[in-house]
Amino acid sequence: MPINGLRREILQVARQRALEINLRSPRPRLLGLFCTSAFLVLATDCLAGGFESPVESVRGVGSAGSGEVTGQGVDYLWRNPAAISDIESPEVYIGASAVLADATVTDLGSTITRPFTPALPVGGDPSVDPIGANASPALGVAWRLAPGVTAGVTLNAPFGFDLASPDTAWSRFQGTTVSLITADAQAGLAWRLNDRLSVGAGVDLIYSKLRLDSALPNLSMLQPDGASSFRGDGWSFGWVVGAQWRPLDALTIGASYRAGVTRGLHGQLETQGLSGPLALGNGVSDATAHFSTPWSASLGLRWQITARLALTAQATRTGWSRFETIEVERAGGSTSPATPGRDTTAVSIGAEFAYSPRLTLRAGWQADPQAIAGSAMLTDGDRRLYAAGASYRLKGRTWVDLAIGYLDFKTSPIDADATAYAGTPLAIPVRLSGQVAAQAGLMSVGLRRGF
């Protein structure tokens, strides 16, 4: 193969390795007012379906997501724009949630096969924890425009993750730093068509910032690893529709649909530390990453059994199968590395009890199947969320919302092909075999104020 052709192949594969991470998740308004650097620093999250944040609403956390599409208030606007239809006067909301996670990613016999050598252990730290503490903020405001018409704006971080492993981790060829930060500014309108039916619609302006770092093996086991790093960002648009119907005074049915979003992130890929023939791949070049976040469809019920007690239930179908490929465009062509993905259905149930005119208690349970399989970096598995929360009225129309939750993950296997320089004469197969065990705690606090 001519030298220039080989160099193009190595650059192509280096770009592929930088982006061949199992990206899949997961749910990342007044943009000029709220989209600040402080928000972007906080807007990272993990350990939910795919890489979708479970904490858009503090009240939603307290009910384990069982009351999101049937709830009323600006904090539910992102999930269902019809949720602001009952607002008579301006309402504002600010909230923050922390995810305290513990994950153990363990090697169970991963191998690397360099040219002219047998398969050998991949080496490195045999057990790592790539997850730290993350925070997710939320802001919103809603106001009545005209009789039966309400507008709202909300800023959220529905998708994101921030994962890091040492350069010496056994999983280093799949990724060492994987970070996605999103900020979603949504503007919505709700129409109360009659006393029983409300509908709503919203549009989203979405900012995404991505960093993907991974190690690259050299041809000789005596040489240290090389490294690749992609950094890029970009803007995209989305939309959501929703409705709430009260066929009976005691029964509310809510539904919403959020469209999937294809994101294009422009940036640069830097490759360094490769030696011998691979050194042709060292350097910096422009690159663009394309990936999609999933659609979701939710259906929920709220049954007001008594004046003080209500039961809630919700099912959400999420289209994670949209993440079959991540397309990386560059001068001279593109690559489309395959990523595993499957659609999932999360089911949750909960209860809400008005203990007094000032204090409301809630609790819930959610089951959410594994959306991402085989990744050593993007930890995922079948999840169970156990949650509880409370709302306390300080005075007038000012409420403080609190919630705590525990996420229990089923131990899941890791079985991934992280082959370096695939499709070239210098291909180095890396077979990652291991398991991931994880658990996480959620803590959320919010403030709602009506005027």
Side-chain angles (χ1 to χ4, degrees), residues 25-28 51-52 78-79 158-159 184 202-204 206 208 236-241 256-264 291-297 317-323 343:
S25 164
R27 314 178 187 173
F51 55 88
E52 184 176 4
W78 191 86
R79 180 62 58 184
F159 295 95
D184 186 325
V203 293
D204 298 76
I206 306 162
S208 304
S236 51
F237 296 91
W239 56 271
V240 59
V241 294
S256 71
Y257 177 82
R258 176 170 293 277
V261 176
T262 298
R263 307 178 186 224
F291 65 95
S292 299
T293 44
W295 57 264
S296 64
R317 182 73 172 170
T318 306
W320 285 113
S321 59
R322 284 172 51 87
F323 289 88
D343 296 347

Side-chain angles (χ1 to χ4, degrees), residues 3 6-7 10-11 218-220 223 274-282 421 426:
I3 291 297
L6 178 60
R7 186 176 189 274
I10 292 173
L11 284 172
N218 272 301
L219 297 178
S220 170
Q223 295 172 319
L274 298 179
S275 59
L278 297 177
L280 296 170
N282 290 329
Y421 323 118
L426 305 178

Side-chain angles (χ1 to χ4, degrees), residues 238-257:
W239 56 271
V240 59
V241 294
Q244 290 183 348
W245 179 42
R246 299 180 181 88
L248 303 171
D249 290 342
L251 179 64
T252 300
I253 300 174
S256 71
Y257 177 82

